[in-house]
Amino acid sequence: MKCTNCDADFASGQRRCPYCGIVNEHALKLAKELQTYDAAYEQKGDKLLESGTNQVLKQLTFGLGIVLPVIAIVSLGCVAFFRYRFSETSSYEVTGA
């Protein structure tokens, strides 16, 4: 970046020109924007984190609400099948050697 007073080159992050000492308005503007951003993040960061966590929990609950009943139905079907298959009243016969 070039100084507006003495045309010296210096880093854009420096608040003053190292040669003539004039204030770098661009750096001050960026510093103020960063402070504003940090303040807004502190105010909204916790709310965003909480809402994201709530969304994950809702999706997990919904998924478990579907998966667990399916597992229960399949398990009950298997139990019923094997109870019938190995009961004394079963007409199922094993043939062959």
Side-chain angles (χ1 to χ4, degrees), residues 36-91:
T36 303
Y37 173 79
D38 286 344
Y41 179 78
E42 286 179 13
Q43 290 176 354
K44 295 183 180 181
D46 290 337
K47 290 179 184 176
L48 291 174
L49 182 62
E50 184 177 322
S51 69
T53 303
N54 287 341
Q55 288 177 352
V56 168
L57 288 176
K58 284 180 186 177
Q59 291 176 353
L60 182 62
T61 304
F62 178 74
L64 288 175
I66 291 174
V67 170
L68 291 178
V70 168
I71 290 173
I73 291 170
V74 169
S75 298
L76 289 174
C78 289
V79 167
F81 170 76
F82 284 109
R83 286 185 82 187
Y84 170 75
R85 164 67 179 86
F86 294 109
S87 70
E88 293 177 7
T89 61
S90 174
S91 61

Side-chain angles (χ1 to χ4, degrees), residues 5-47:
N5 187 42
C6 66
D7 280 339
D9 287 328
F10 64 96
S12 62
Q14 290 180 316
R15 294 188 179 194
R16 294 186 174 272
C17 174
Y19 302 103
C20 69
I22 194 168
V23 175
N24 180 358
E25 295 296 328
H26 180 68
L28 289 178
K29 180 181 172 186
L30 290 177
K32 286 179 184 178
E33 288 176 0
L34 185 60
Q35 287 174 346
T36 303
Y37 173 79
D38 286 344
Y41 179 78
E42 286 179 13
Q43 290 176 354
K44 295 183 180 181
D46 290 337
K47 290 179 184 176

